[in-house]
Amino acid sequence: MDNNILNTSIEYLKGVGPKRADLLRTELNIYRFRDLLNYFPFRYVDRSKTIQVKDISESLGNVQILVKITNIQELGQHRKKRLLVTAFDASGTVQLVWFKGVKWIKSAIKIGEQYVVFGKPNFYGGTLNFNHPEIELEEKNKNKEGNLQPVYHSTEKLSSFGLQSKGIENLMRNLLPQVLNFIPQTLSQRIEKKNHFPSINNAFANIHFPKDKNMLKKSIIRLKYEELFFLQLGMNRQKLNTRKKSKGYVFKEVGDNFNKFFKDYLPFELTNAQKRVVKEIRKDLGLGSHMNRLLQGDVGSGKTLVAVLTILLSIDNGFQACLMAPTEILANQHFKTIENFLNPLGINIALLTGSVKKSDRKIIHESLENGSLNILVGTHALLEDKVKFKNLGLAIIDEQHRFGVAQRAKLWKKNHYPPHVLVMTATPIPRTLAMTFYGDLNVSVIDELPPGRKPINTIHRFDSSRLKVFQFIEDEIKKGHQVYIVYPLIEESEKLDYKDLMDGYESIVRRFPLPNYNVSIVHGKMKPEAKDYEMSQFVAGKTQIMVATTVIEVGVDVPNASLMIIESAEKFGLSQLHQLRGRVGRGADKSYCILMSGYKLSNEAKIRIETMVRTNDGFEISEQDLKIRGPGDVMGTQQSGVLDFKLADLAKDGQLVQLAKIDVDELIALDSNISSLENQSIKKELIRQMKLKPNWSNIS
Ligand code: ADP
Ligand code: MG
């Protein structure tokens, strides 16, 4: 039993009692002393810094002033009621306005007293206004520890029971002296020393009541670090456990096929990133446990070749391999590429999709079962029960996000042990996320493009320049190139978007008529066969323009396409824009991406478009995406709970993530079971935290 004082029910803290305890529980999830201790200020007010009213300008943002109240006026009735307070300092007068909590504020302030007022001023009708500022009696602020006063989030309910920020601060002052000496160690002395961290109790004392800015900064860093350290350590442990539990086939050999292909038929030298990733995969496959690896690489980074080499490892070790793609077009494309690569080696490969004839299917089924077929490429047709392998050792899945977890699980059942799984995705996950999430254990990243790639020139144009853009399309087609024009299709406004698409299509056909031009169209409402037909016309170069919704987002490879036009670009998310742009720039010619939009753009849309124009780097884009949307949305909501940090911010604290990762790796290298005496505090804290956290889900 852990009877540490930190576990005491919050009700028993001086100043709380049953009613406030109830509110603290329901409003802030504060149940015990520990929870309150971990309820951190969200900012600090430097009480030493006030400015004069005459120096205020709107551009300063939040300011703090020291003023005396001269008049308090209640105006309006019922819901339109507001409180108008006039106050001044030696240099000028301000108006303080409240629309909510009028009664309460009115009773709490007095004419003639000196107040510290904090808020964002605005000029309204010639007077200087503060709407809903923070206000506090001046003398109460004389604060012993320094000039930084903590500000805590509160709620309306809590405020009405005296627990506004100031009230919470008072509770904290009661709490700290009681608990400071009983806060358990969390890190080892070695880690504390190495990183020049303040001690744990110093960190807690200073995050609530900072001695000075420097100590505050150090304390926040330590506490953020702890969040990141224990998350990564926990991930690391968990991965190790699953790894121990799930057996897999051992691919010991690097055999004839691999070597021969590598020596004689490799069409180009591997990039360093490809080499590193192949090494990581090889190591994984030799361990005797089941491989479940995510291969992440920007569009065009050369994932297919890595897949081919992995397939050869499987074949050399006596196992079959399969590759599954989300669409028929993609499956076709992979089939052709891989067949080309492996033709000289005499390896048998087949394609299985929905449109393969029954008689051909039968042959495929048979040769799979008798083992004469080495590689099967296809769509989810591979998942059917009829598809039985003699000895499936490896399953590669392209473009992960198109498949559901249940579908992938089916693959696992295709052999005695589950086949090794390699999931390839072109949606880069920001490095910081990948690190914290996967503990780096089974993610491989191709972070380098093959040499000689020309960056795609990205341009933003308003709808009013459409005629010029049409001219540009014509010029590109004259050069023998092909063009994509993509329209958004967003579920909420599906009808409208669909109309936009059809209108757009018609105006394109009018501007680029037969017989000189052929225009294809692909959208979600078409039958799969019709879609595939249109797509294959474009792939074969029989049509010059492809008008489409985002269905073409994934994977299609038409090297002759040099221009991507994205209509209503403001409606797309960053990663989607990047995926779409990745459809061009695959051939030898200079490629372009034109983002079309109206004049009215939200701030976020502006940032997205600017980011696209500025960079081609998928990782930079994903980091930006993380900044705009936050980790939960970038990863998909199912996993967001894991990333609910109190202090750390994955978008901003990349360096700390990295530092914590290095320390976790070092810890594991030195003391793999975390059993040494000096690491006992780490072990205890880890066990405590792992009991609280939800389970992280596996990749596949
Ligand atoms: P993606 O990662 O988007 O699936 P692909 O595997 O389709 O990328 O590769 C994109 C293009 O780059 C292909 O045409 C491929 O042949 C070529 N490629 C792959 N690796 C290399 C390399 N090491 N050097 C030169 N070109 C390469
Ligand atoms: Mg690909």
Side-chain angles (χ1 to χ4, degrees), residues 183-208:
I183 299 175
Q185 289 300 329
T186 44
L187 300 172
S188 65
Q189 281 187 354
R190 206 179 62 82
I191 289 180
E192 274 187 3
K193 235 175 155 175
K194 168 178 167 275
N195 295 314
H196 308 288
F197 286 150
S199 68
I200 184 79
N201 34 11
N202 246 330
F204 273 109
N206 275 279
I207 198 168
H208 290 292

Side-chain angles (χ1 to χ4, degrees), residues 303-304 334 398-399 555 586:
K303 294 186 289 293
T304 317
H334 275 309
D398 196 15
E399 306 296 356
R586 313 192 134 233

Side-chain angles (χ1 to χ4, degrees), residues 10-250:
I10 196 67
E11 188 176 337
Y12 302 116
L13 180 67
K14 192 174 152 236
V16 179
K19 181 68 212 169
R20 281 180 163 185
D22 255 0
L23 282 173
L24 285 168
R25 280 190 284 262
T26 51
E27 296 285 289
L28 300 178
N29 267 324
I30 293 175
Y31 287 79
R32 295 166 192 279
F33 283 15
R34 176 194 300 283
D35 304 325
L36 182 62
L37 182 67
N38 281 286
Y39 192 68
F40 300 127
F42 69 98
R43 67 181 180 84
Y44 303 82
V45 177
D46 187 345
R47 293 299 183 188
S48 65
K49 272 194 199 135
T50 52
I51 73 168
Q52 299 231 296
V53 169
K54 72 171 165 49
D55 295 330
I56 294 176
S57 70
E58 270 185 69
S59 61
L60 288 178
N62 282 318
V63 295
Q64 186 163 258
I65 52 176
L66 196 59
V67 288
K68 213 173 249 183
I69 294 181
T70 56
N71 188 29
I72 302 174
Q73 229 183 325
E74 212 179 308
L75 299 173
Q77 291 283 319
H78 307 296
R79 290 178 60 210
K80 289 200 171 150
K81 203 186 268 185
R82 66 200 146 99
L83 190 68
L84 205 64
V85 174
T86 314
F88 74 101
D89 70 4
S91 71
T93 304
V94 294
Q95 297 267 25
L96 316 177
V97 188
W98 283 271
F99 303 95
K100 278 185 184 163
V102 167
K103 217 167 121 192
W104 189 78
I105 305 251
K106 196 178 168 192
S107 68
I109 55 176
K110 283 198 197 79
I111 290 178
E113 300 270 14
Q114 187 96 306
Y115 287 90
V116 177
V117 171
F118 178 91
K120 197 167 182 283
N122 58 72
F123 285 91
Y124 181 76
T127 53
L128 194 53
N129 274 279
F130 285 78
N131 288 339
H132 281 257
E134 287 172 27
I135 180 163
E136 224 171 278
L137 257 187
E138 210 257 317
E139 50 169 10
K140 270 203 203 153
N141 289 306
K142 295 269 185 319
N143 135 8
K144 290 131 252 156
E145 289 81 3
N147 289 314
L148 295 170
Q149 189 186 8
V151 183
Y152 298 92
H153 278 299
S154 180
T155 65
E156 219 171 309
K157 262 196 193 155
L158 281 168
S159 295
S160 62
F161 282 83
L163 290 181
Q164 67 282 41
S165 171
K166 186 72 198 176
I168 296 173
E169 181 189 333
N170 289 337
L171 293 186
M172 213 60 86
R173 282 183 200 282
N174 295 340
L175 177 75
L176 279 181
Q178 283 192 59
V179 300
L180 270 186
N181 288 328
F182 301 97
I183 299 175
Q185 289 300 329
T186 44
L187 300 172
S188 65
Q189 281 187 354
R190 206 179 62 82
I191 289 180
E192 274 187 3
K193 235 175 155 175
K194 168 178 167 275
N195 295 314
H196 308 288
F197 286 150
S199 68
I200 184 79
N201 34 11
N202 246 330
F204 273 109
N206 275 279
I207 198 168
H208 290 292
F209 304 110
K211 266 206 188 71
D212 52 49
K213 281 196 174 139
N214 186 36
M215 265 315 285
L216 173 61
K217 195 171 149 204
K218 282 186 169 171
S219 303
I220 291 178
I221 288 180
R222 171 177 178 141
L223 294 170
K224 277 184 179 177
Y225 171 95
E226 286 202 18
E227 288 185 307
L228 298 166
F229 177 85
F230 283 104
L231 176 67
Q232 294 188 61
L233 186 60
M235 296 293 315
N236 191 309
R237 295 281 89 183
Q238 196 165 314
K239 284 281 140 70
L240 212 66
N241 281 341
T242 8
R243 190 166 276 256
K244 275 188 197 144
K245 267 187 258 157
S246 58
K247 283 215 154 94
Y249 300 109
V250 184

Side-chain angles (χ1 to χ4, degrees), residues 573-575 604 608 624-635:
L574 256 181
S575 71
E604 279 190 14
R608 289 196 296 264
Q624 185 64 53
D625 202 25
L626 178 63
K627 273 184 203 153
I628 301 178
R629 296 196 300 153
D633 285 330
V634 174
M635 293 305 295

Side-chain angles (χ1 to χ4, degrees), residues 229 233 663-672 674 679 682:
F229 177 85
L233 186 60
D663 289 353
V664 165
D665 288 349
E666 203 172 273
L667 171 73
I668 300 295
L670 292 173
D671 183 11
S672 61
I674 325 186
N679 291 327
I682 295 179

